[in-house]
mmCIF file of all heavy atoms in Angstrom:
data_model
loop_
_atom_site.group_PDB
_atom_site.id
_atom_site.type_symbol
_atom_site.label_atom_id
_atom_site.label_comp_id
_atom_site.label_asym_id
_atom_site.label_seq_id
_atom_site.Cartn_x
_atom_site.Cartn_y
_atom_site.Cartn_z
ATOM 1 N N PHE A 959 5.265 16.409 23.020
ATOM 2 C CA PHE A 959 4.465 16.991 24.098
ATOM 3 C C PHE A 959 4.980 16.588 25.483
ATOM 4 O O PHE A 959 4.708 17.261 26.470
ATOM 5 C CB PHE A 959 2.994 16.548 23.979
ATOM 6 C CG PHE A 959 2.199 17.329 22.990
ATOM 7 C CD1 PHE A 959 2.033 16.861 21.697
ATOM 8 C CD2 PHE A 959 1.601 18.530 23.349
ATOM 9 C CE1 PHE A 959 1.286 17.575 20.780
ATOM 10 C CE2 PHE A 959 0.849 19.250 22.440
ATOM 11 C CZ PHE A 959 0.694 18.766 21.149
ATOM 12 N N GLY A 968 -2.170 21.002 36.646
ATOM 13 C CA GLY A 968 -3.568 21.422 36.540
ATOM 14 C C GLY A 968 -4.145 21.298 35.149
ATOM 15 O O GLY A 968 -3.878 20.345 34.411
ATOM 16 N N ILE A 969 -4.927 22.314 34.780
ATOM 17 C CA ILE A 969 -5.640 22.304 33.501
ATOM 18 C C ILE A 969 -4.680 22.342 32.317
ATOM 19 O O ILE A 969 -4.948 21.750 31.277
ATOM 20 C CB ILE A 969 -6.689 23.459 33.425
ATOM 21 C CG1 ILE A 969 -7.625 23.267 32.226
ATOM 22 C CG2 ILE A 969 -6.013 24.806 33.343
ATOM 23 C CD1 ILE A 969 -8.621 22.163 32.425
ATOM 24 N N ALA A 970 -3.532 23.008 32.485
ATOM 25 C CA ALA A 970 -2.543 23.056 31.405
ATOM 26 C C ALA A 970 -2.042 21.645 31.097
ATOM 27 O O ALA A 970 -1.927 21.244 29.931
ATOM 28 C CB ALA A 970 -1.384 23.970 31.762
ATOM 29 N N LYS A 971 -1.748 20.876 32.128
ATOM 30 C CA LYS A 971 -1.277 19.497 31.938
ATOM 31 C C LYS A 971 -2.381 18.656 31.276
ATOM 32 O O LYS A 971 -2.109 17.899 30.341
ATOM 33 C CB LYS A 971 -0.872 18.891 33.275
ATOM 34 C CG LYS A 971 -0.290 17.504 33.151
ATOM 35 C CD LYS A 971 0.304 17.046 34.474
ATOM 36 C CE LYS A 971 1.110 15.790 34.272
ATOM 37 N NZ LYS A 971 2.194 15.662 35.207
ATOM 38 N N PHE A 972 -3.597 18.794 31.765
ATOM 39 C CA PHE A 972 -4.729 18.068 31.205
ATOM 40 C C PHE A 972 -4.882 18.393 29.718
ATOM 41 O O PHE A 972 -5.051 17.501 28.882
ATOM 42 C CB PHE A 972 -6.012 18.421 31.978
ATOM 43 C CG PHE A 972 -7.246 17.822 31.384
ATOM 44 C CD1 PHE A 972 -7.570 16.489 31.613
ATOM 45 C CD2 PHE A 972 -8.092 18.591 30.589
ATOM 46 C CE1 PHE A 972 -8.716 15.926 31.051
ATOM 47 C CE2 PHE A 972 -9.236 18.029 30.030
ATOM 48 C CZ PHE A 972 -9.547 16.700 30.261
ATOM 49 N N ASN A 973 -4.826 19.667 29.363
ATOM 50 C CA ASN A 973 -4.985 20.092 27.972
ATOM 51 C C ASN A 973 -3.852 19.559 27.093
ATOM 52 O O ASN A 973 -4.083 19.128 25.961
ATOM 53 C CB ASN A 973 -5.084 21.609 27.867
ATOM 54 C CG ASN A 973 -6.425 22.122 28.347
ATOM 55 O OD1 ASN A 973 -7.410 21.390 28.387
ATOM 56 N ND2 ASN A 973 -6.468 23.388 28.741
ATOM 57 N N LEU A 974 -2.639 19.591 27.593
ATOM 58 C CA LEU A 974 -1.503 19.067 26.826
ATOM 59 C C LEU A 974 -1.652 17.562 26.592
ATOM 60 O O LEU A 974 -1.345 17.060 25.507
ATOM 61 C CB LEU A 974 -0.185 19.364 27.545
ATOM 62 C CG LEU A 974 0.267 20.819 27.502
ATOM 63 C CD1 LEU A 974 1.393 21.066 28.503
ATOM 64 C CD2 LEU A 974 0.712 21.202 26.090
ATOM 65 N N GLN A 975 -2.120 16.849 27.586
ATOM 66 C CA GLN A 975 -2.335 15.410 27.435
ATOM 67 C C GLN A 975 -3.409 15.134 26.379
ATOM 68 O O GLN A 975 -3.282 14.194 25.599
ATOM 69 C CB GLN A 975 -2.715 14.777 28.778
ATOM 70 C CG GLN A 975 -1.546 14.724 29.738
ATOM 71 C CD GLN A 975 -1.954 14.354 31.157
ATOM 72 O OE1 GLN A 975 -3.049 14.689 31.608
ATOM 73 N NE2 GLN A 975 -1.060 13.670 31.858
ATOM 74 N N LYS A 976 -4.450 15.936 26.351
ATOM 75 C CA LYS A 976 -5.500 15.783 25.331
ATOM 76 C C LYS A 976 -4.943 16.117 23.940
ATOM 77 O O LYS A 976 -5.225 15.415 22.971
ATOM 78 C CB LYS A 976 -6.695 16.692 25.640
ATOM 79 C CG LYS A 976 -7.463 16.319 26.888
ATOM 80 C CD LYS A 976 -8.200 15.037 26.733
ATOM 81 C CE LYS A 976 -9.609 15.304 26.304
ATOM 82 N NZ LYS A 976 -10.380 14.096 26.113
ATOM 83 N N MET A 977 -4.158 17.190 23.854
ATOM 84 C CA MET A 977 -3.588 17.607 22.577
ATOM 85 C C MET A 977 -2.673 16.525 21.995
ATOM 86 O O MET A 977 -2.572 16.368 20.779
ATOM 87 C CB MET A 977 -2.815 18.908 22.739
ATOM 88 C CG MET A 977 -3.710 20.117 22.978
ATOM 89 S SD MET A 977 -2.801 21.595 23.472
ATOM 90 C CE MET A 977 -1.715 21.819 22.091
ATOM 91 N N GLN A 978 -2.027 15.783 22.863
ATOM 92 C CA GLN A 978 -1.115 14.724 22.452
ATOM 93 C C GLN A 978 -1.842 13.628 21.653
ATOM 94 O O GLN A 978 -1.224 12.924 20.868
ATOM 95 C CB GLN A 978 -0.467 14.134 23.712
ATOM 96 C CG GLN A 978 0.699 13.237 23.462
ATOM 97 C CD GLN A 978 1.317 12.780 24.781
ATOM 98 O OE1 GLN A 978 0.657 12.673 25.803
ATOM 99 N NE2 GLN A 978 2.611 12.512 24.742
#
Side-chain angles (χ1 to χ4, degrees):
F959 279 96
I969 192 73
K971 184 171 191 151
F972 174 79
N973 286 338
L974 287 167
Q975 289 169 328
K976 293 291 265 179
M977 289 169 59
Q978 192 176 29

